Amino acid sequence: MSPRPNVEDQRRREILEAACDAIAERGFAAARIADIAERANTSSGTVHYYFASKEDVLHQALRFAFEKSLDRQIAELAKIRSARDSLIKLIELNLPEHSEVVHEWILWMEFWIEALHRPEMRPVNEDLYGHWRAVVTDIVVSGQESGEFKHGVVAADLANRFVALMDGLAIQVLLHSEQMTVAEMRRICTEFVDSELGHRELTPN
């Protein structure tokens, strides 16, 4: 027999998802408890039952969104054996091309603005970015150990540059820069991987 769903956990998740939508649509500062309640098909009182304040639900919503995104990407990477293919998949998963990914990038931008003004949010950035950089670092190390990538590149340094490149280009795409399209972002990121890591095909055993 499958376990009985936890109604409170499900309701809390629905409120966090609604809060993410409110942040993406209205911005962190403008989002209200009433906006969250409306999107979650519940009352403001119910939101307050699960979360102490507006700041509490919005902060937890940001963490919820980022952890959900990271889990999704890790699940996709688990299906891939090649280190280069894994990095290319990461690029594809983070291109602001589809509504779900655009939504995620908008939440990141709102989070950065919030963290600039609220020092208590900065440890969250360190934690989440630490996980993101660790994923890239592990892929690079794996590729170097297998001989797919060249040695001499410091994996953690490469991960920092890879993440910075993705962030900077994605912001330009989201701002509809005439000089930065999704296709151009894909090309630049892919060329970065190949030029920095010197990818070579491995001979099957």
Side-chain angles (χ1 to χ4, degrees), residues 121-179:
M121 292 292 291
R122 294 171 193 172
V124 178
N125 178 73
E126 288 299 305
D127 181 27
L128 297 173
Y129 255 78
H131 286 300
W132 175 221
R133 286 191 292 261
V135 169
V136 180
T137 300
D138 288 347
I139 293 172
V140 175
V141 169
S142 175
Q144 289 174 328
E145 290 176 347
S146 69
E148 190 176 351
F149 293 152
K150 66 184 180 183
H151 291 274
V153 176
V154 178
D157 178 61
L158 187 287
N160 277 324
R161 289 186 285 137
F162 179 84
V163 170
L165 180 65
M166 294 281 289
D167 286 349
L169 296 179
I171 290 171
Q172 292 304 306
V173 173
L174 288 168
L175 295 177
H176 303 289
S177 168
E178 294 181 0
Q179 299 176 8

Side-chain angles (χ1 to χ4, degrees), residues 26 33 73 86 90 96 114 121 133 142 205:
R26 295 180 57 87
I33 290 293
Q73 294 181 49
S86 293
L90 271 182
E114 181 70 5
M121 292 292 291
R133 286 191 292 261
S142 175
N205 293 330

Side-chain angles (χ1 to χ4, degrees), residues 91-98 101 105 166 182 185-186:
I91 293 169
E92 291 295 328
L93 289 171
N94 286 281
L95 291 173
E97 186 173 21
H98 305 294
V101 182
W105 276 112
M166 294 281 289
V182 168
M185 178 178 172
R186 177 187 288 112

Side-chain angles (χ1 to χ4, degrees), residues 18-78:
C20 289
D21 290 342
I23 294 170
E25 292 171 18
R26 295 180 57 87
F28 193 97
R32 304 171 302 168
I33 290 293
D35 299 318
I36 298 168
E38 180 181 0
R39 287 164 175 78
N41 294 315
T42 190
S43 67
S44 295
T46 300
V47 176
H48 282 297
Y49 171 80
Y50 287 95
F51 301 95
S53 64
K54 169 188 163 179
E55 287 72 22
D56 181 32
V57 63
L58 294 180
H59 289 174
Q60 291 198 46
L62 289 169
R63 178 181 282 278
F64 167 79
F66 303 148
E67 291 178 347
K68 179 181 175 183
S69 174
L70 188 61
D71 288 345
R72 174 177 61 85
Q73 294 181 49
I74 290 174
E76 289 293 326
L77 294 176

